[in-house]
């Protein structure tokens, strides 16, 4: 027993020396031994006795003894991320292509607005009727009206984005009317320049159609060679601009306006008839078309116009997916489009014929009037030539 106590005393003394040396060297990693055994407690009491006799208990061991409470918790380090610093990098500049795409989307959104479909159809009918009847004179006013609408739609879109306005905001509509009126006035004051642009656009459409026809005939260079495509478009557009500048597009504009006007009138009537039927005002049509009419052929006015212009567009009208659609030569013909295009052609033929006839008549009348005035100035009151 005594030997065990002596051995523990020696071990404790060695531990004290090691701890004292570690503190002198400033080591934070040294740890004091723990005395959990009862005999270790006896050793600790013996060391205390030695300390009471004049010795000093080493600080590390004294600290080890006195520290009965758990060490204080370290202060929690704040891990909240700092606020993001706002940058002043400007938004990317829109390219002309993206601007045109944005304008196309905004115009499409406005044309599909359910609240104003009757307004779209009414304006299409009025503009179309005027174009069919006297397009050569009113074509410029139609161009000014289109400029007004495009500028107004674009302005309403931008002001809604900047000021966070909804579609029914009065401020939004006021700004749209103001900007549209300004653009229309600018187009009216420089109508000759605007008509040159219109001539260039017409030339582009003609070149597009000509390219498709030539490629279908086997001229594949116009689909593979970019230089040839640019040359074709440049030649046709420049020719169209030259004709517009020399006022030789009169007959062409008469025919074109009759075609555009006929499509507008036809689409407006198709939309009106379909909407009235779906609203229950034309119920007698069920007794006329006993195979049944469509109850889901409604839509926006622009959809009816697209149906006339493109055979690949979605069907709209009274005969949507009805038994009246037929096939011929492996192609499916939708009766809505067949009836619409037929009526469109009739309006085009009537309008183009009347406009071309009037375009030729005034020229002869003016020439005869000028000749009569010239003769009156040369002849005296008595009918004889003045000397």
């Amino acid at each position: 027993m005594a030997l065990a106590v002596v051995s523990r005393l020696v071990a404790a003394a060695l531990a004290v020396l090691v701890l004292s040396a570690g503190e002198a060297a400033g080591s934070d990693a040294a740890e004091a031994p723990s005395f959990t055994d009862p005999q270790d407690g006896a050793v600790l009491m013996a060391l205390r006795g030695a300390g009471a006799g004049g010795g000093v208990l080493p600080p590390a061991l004294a600290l080890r003894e006195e520290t009965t409470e758990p060490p204080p918790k370290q202060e929690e380090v704040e891990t909240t991320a700092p606020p993001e610093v706002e940058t002043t990098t400007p938004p990317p500049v829109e390219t002309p292509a993206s601007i045109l795409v944005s304008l196309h989307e905004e115009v499409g959104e406005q044309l599909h607005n359910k609240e104003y479909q009757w307004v779209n159809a009414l304006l299409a009918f009025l503009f179309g009727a005027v174009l069919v009847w006297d397009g050569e004179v009113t074509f410029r006013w139609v161009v000014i009206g289109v400029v007004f609408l495009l500028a107004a739609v674009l302005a309403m879109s931008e002001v809604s984005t900047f000021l966070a306005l909804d579609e029914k905001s009065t401020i939004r509509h006021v700004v749209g009317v103001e900007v549209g009126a300004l653009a229309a006035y600018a187009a009216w004051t420089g109508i000759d320049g605007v008509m040159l642009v219109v001539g260039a656009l017409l030339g582009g459409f003609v070149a597009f159609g000509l390219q498709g026809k030539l490629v279908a005939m086997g001229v594949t260079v116009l689909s593979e060679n970019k230089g040839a495509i640019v040359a074709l478009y440049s030649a046709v557009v420049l020719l169209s601009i030259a004709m517009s500048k020399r006022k030789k597009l009169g007959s062409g504009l008469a025919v074109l306006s009759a075609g555009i006007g006929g499509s507008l009138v036809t689409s407006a009537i198709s939309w009106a008839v379909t909407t009235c039927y779906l609203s229950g005002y034309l119920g007698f049509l069920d007794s006329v078309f006993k195979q049944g009419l469509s109850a889901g052929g409604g839509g926006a006015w622009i959809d009816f116009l697209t149906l006339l212009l493109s055979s690949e567009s979605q069907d709209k009208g009274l005969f949507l997916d009805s038994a009246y659609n037929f096939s011929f030569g492996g192609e499916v013909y939708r009766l809505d489009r067949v009836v619409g295009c037929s009526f469109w052609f009739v309006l085009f033929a009537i309008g183009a014929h009347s406009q071309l006839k009037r375009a030729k008549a005034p020229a002869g009348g003016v020439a005869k009037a000028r000749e009569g005035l010239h003769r009156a100035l040369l002849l005296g009151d008595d009918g004889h030539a003045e000397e």
Side-chain angles (χ1 to χ4, degrees):
M1 181 67 180
L3 182 60
V5 173
V6 171
S7 62
R8 289 183 179 278
L9 287 173
V10 173
L14 292 176
V16 170
L17 291 176
V18 172
L19 291 174
S20 300
E23 289 182 356
S27 174
D28 296 334
E31 296 183 358
S34 60
F35 301 96
T36 58
D37 194 273
Q39 294 181 356
D40 292 344
V43 174
L44 183 60
M45 294 300 294
L47 291 174
R48 278 184 174 280
V56 179
L57 190 65
L61 189 58
L63 179 63
R64 181 74 177 182
E65 179 200 7
E66 293 175 359
T67 307
T68 57
E69 298 180 358
K73 296 182 179 180
Q74 296 181 353
E75 295 182 0
E76 296 182 357
V77 180
E78 186 177 356
T79 59
T80 305
E84 297 181 358
V85 180
E86 295 184 0
T87 61
T88 57
T89 304
V93 180
E94 291 188 353
T95 62
S98 63
I99 293 175
L100 291 177
V101 171
S102 300
L103 182 60
H104 178 268
E105 293 176 352
E106 293 297 333
V107 172
E109 182 179 353
Q110 294 297 323
L111 291 177
H112 284 89
N113 193 329
K114 296 182 179 180
E115 187 176 357
Y116 302 107
Q117 286 305 309
W118 68 273
V119 178
N120 296 337
L122 179 61
L123 291 177
F125 181 83
L126 295 177
F127 275 110
V130 172
L131 287 173
V132 169
W133 175 250
D134 196 2
E136 185 178 359
V137 177
T138 59
F139 190 81
R140 296 189 175 192
W141 290 104
V142 172
V143 171
I144 294 175
V146 171
V147 171
F148 171 85
L149 292 176
L150 292 179
V153 169
L154 186 59
M156 287 190 294
S157 173
E158 295 299 325
V159 75
S160 298
T161 302
F162 286 129
L163 301 181
L165 303 175
D166 57 12
E167 294 183 354
K168 297 182 179 181
S169 174
T170 304
I171 298 177
R172 178 176 182 271
H173 290 88
V174 170
V175 173
V177 171
E178 291 177 345
V179 175
L182 178 61
Y185 178 74
W188 178 69
T189 55
I191 190 61
D192 292 335
V194 175
M195 293 307 297
L196 289 179
V197 175
V198 172
L201 293 176
L202 294 178
F205 284 118
V206 172
F208 178 78
L210 181 60
Q211 179 191 9
K213 296 295 183 182
L214 292 177
V215 171
M217 294 172 59
V219 187
T220 58
V221 67
L222 293 177
S223 63
E224 301 172 354
N225 192 321
K226 297 180 179 179
I229 297 174
V230 172
L232 173 65
Y233 276 76
S234 299
V236 177
V237 169
L238 290 176
L239 179 62
S240 178
I241 292 176
M243 293 178 63
S244 176
K245 187 175 181 180
R246 295 182 180 182
K247 311 295 184 182
K248 292 186 177 181
L249 285 179
S251 300
L253 287 178
V255 175
L256 179 64
S257 61
I260 295 176
S263 65
L264 294 177
V265 172
T266 303
S267 60
I269 294 176
S270 300
W271 177 87
V273 171
T274 304
T275 303
C276 290
Y277 172 78
L278 295 178
S279 300
Y281 297 108
L282 299 176
F284 68 91
L285 293 177
D286 292 327
S287 60
V288 177
F289 301 95
K290 296 182 179 181
Q291 295 187 20
L293 298 176
S294 174
W301 160 78
I302 190 64
D303 296 331
F304 289 83
L305 178 62
T306 307
L307 177 63
L308 297 177
L309 301 178
S310 175
S311 60
E312 299 179 356
S313 60
Q314 185 179 1
D315 192 8
K316 295 290 181 181
L318 299 177
F319 304 102
L320 173 66
D321 297 331
S322 68
Y324 293 98
N325 297 331
F326 59 95
S327 299
F328 181 77
E331 296 288 337
V332 177
Y333 291 88
R334 298 168 290 180
L335 193 58
D336 289 314
R337 189 166 190 270
V338 171
V339 174
C341 290
S342 300
F343 187 69
W344 176 18
F345 177 77
V346 171
L347 291 178
F348 163 74
I350 296 174
H353 175 72
S354 61
Q355 290 190 52
L356 291 175
K357 187 176 181 180
R358 285 198 306 270
K360 295 179 180 179
V366 171
K368 291 181 180 180
R370 289 179 177 176
E371 183 180 356
L373 178 60
H374 183 67
R375 289 172 60 91
L377 291 175
L378 294 178
L379 298 178
D381 296 337
D382 55 356
H384 298 284
E386 296 182 355
E387 296 181 359

